[in-house]
Amino acid sequence: MIKWFANRKVGTRIIATVAPALLGVVALAGLAILQERNNAAEMETVAVNAAFTPKVRAVMRAIQLERGQSAAFVNSYGDSFKEELPAQRKAVDAEAAALKQAIGAAGFGAHDQEILDASGAAVEALDGLAALRAKVDNFELAATEIIPAYTAVIDRLIAILAGMLHESDDDRSSKQIGAYLAVLKAIDAAGLERAAGAIGFGSNAFSQNSIADMVSLGAQQRAHLATFTHLA
């Protein structure tokens, strides 16, 4: 091997000497470029999430208010929140339109399939609010049926953020999304507890089941807040 190397031309010997080092440099450069691309993709995902999640929260908050007002409206036979409810519905529709626009602008691709599926289901649920509102106006549902009907829409919105959590490859981003998700779940449990209390006070009666539900919702809030504390 040494004899073969010594008999080669000077140019050949130089190339043979430096080629392994050059290949090493090229390999390292390729790895660095790949890492930078991954970092850039993750940063883009974080930026999309940061702009997107507040819109999900805004719709949730608006629907939570409509949920409570609708239940109280039906439970009072149209007396409570008869002035406030139409305005709250308009607020929900405005926030829902902003969210739909954000979904279209987010540019979720095939690698975000869970987020795409959750977003599509959420939009479908939001579009179904018109039929639910008609039942509320016509007193076709009891207050105890209205609350879970609205909660199902909120659960679809929460599923979008859960999809973001599952699709994230970055540990820090995953913890941030997970903490935010835990807070939203705690807030919704508090909203359900508040709605259940409003129904009880509106009817001047609390059944054993409603009291048990309120106790359970309080426990759920504590559990979600414990998850937030762990991840934050």
Side-chain angles (χ1 to χ4, degrees):
M1 180 68 181
I2 296 176
K3 182 178 180 181
W4 176 89
F5 186 81
N7 290 335
R8 299 300 94 187
K9 294 181 180 180
V10 174
T12 302
R13 286 184 297 190
I14 292 174
I15 293 173
T17 301
V18 302
L22 288 174
L23 289 175
V25 171
V26 171
L28 289 174
L31 289 174
I33 292 172
L34 181 60
Q35 184 62 45
E36 286 300 317
R37 286 184 61 187
N38 290 338
N39 290 341
E42 186 63 34
M43 289 301 295
E44 182 179 357
T45 299
V46 170
V48 170
N49 291 349
F52 191 74
T53 51
K55 289 183 170 53
V56 176
R57 170 66 188 119
V59 180
M60 285 181 59
R61 174 59 178 163
I63 293 177
Q64 286 164 347
L65 291 173
E66 182 179 339
R67 175 179 62 191
Q69 291 180 5
S70 297
F73 174 80
V74 168
N75 204 51
S76 64
Y77 300 99
D79 186 42
S80 298
F81 295 104
K82 60 183 177 182
E83 301 295 336
E84 296 87 348
L85 188 54
Q88 186 56 39
R89 289 174 175 176
K90 290 181 179 179
V92 169
D93 292 342
E95 297 294 358
L99 176 60
K100 292 175 184 178
Q101 184 177 6
I103 291 174
F108 296 125
H111 58 289
D112 303 310
Q113 191 59 50
E114 186 172 352
I115 303 175
L116 282 171
D117 291 343
S119 297
V123 169
E124 182 179 353
L126 291 171
D127 290 341
L129 283 176
L132 176 57
R133 289 166 176 170
K135 292 181 179 180
V136 170
D137 292 340
N138 294 325
F139 300 97
E140 296 178 24
L141 298 174
T144 53
E145 295 174 303
I146 290 170
I147 291 176
Y150 276 99
T151 302
V153 180
I154 293 171
D155 287 343
R156 294 287 180 89
L157 294 167
I158 291 177
I160 299 177
L161 301 183
M164 290 181 174
L165 175 61
H166 297 157
E167 296 289 350
S168 176
D169 296 323
D170 180 74
D171 182 64
R172 182 180 179 184
S173 298
S174 296
K175 287 182 178 179
Q176 290 175 339
I177 298 171
Y180 189 67
L181 189 58
V183 169
L184 291 184
K185 289 181 178 180
I187 291 173
D188 193 54
L192 286 170
E193 184 181 21
R194 186 170 58 249
I199 292 174
F201 285 116
S203 59
N204 294 316
F206 285 91
S207 67
Q208 289 185 345
N209 287 338
S210 66
I211 294 174
D213 288 342
M214 293 175 69
V215 172
S216 175
L217 288 167
Q220 290 178 37
Q221 292 170 61
R222 291 189 291 273
H224 292 316
L225 291 175
T227 298
F228 167 79
T229 302
H230 175 71
L231 294 174

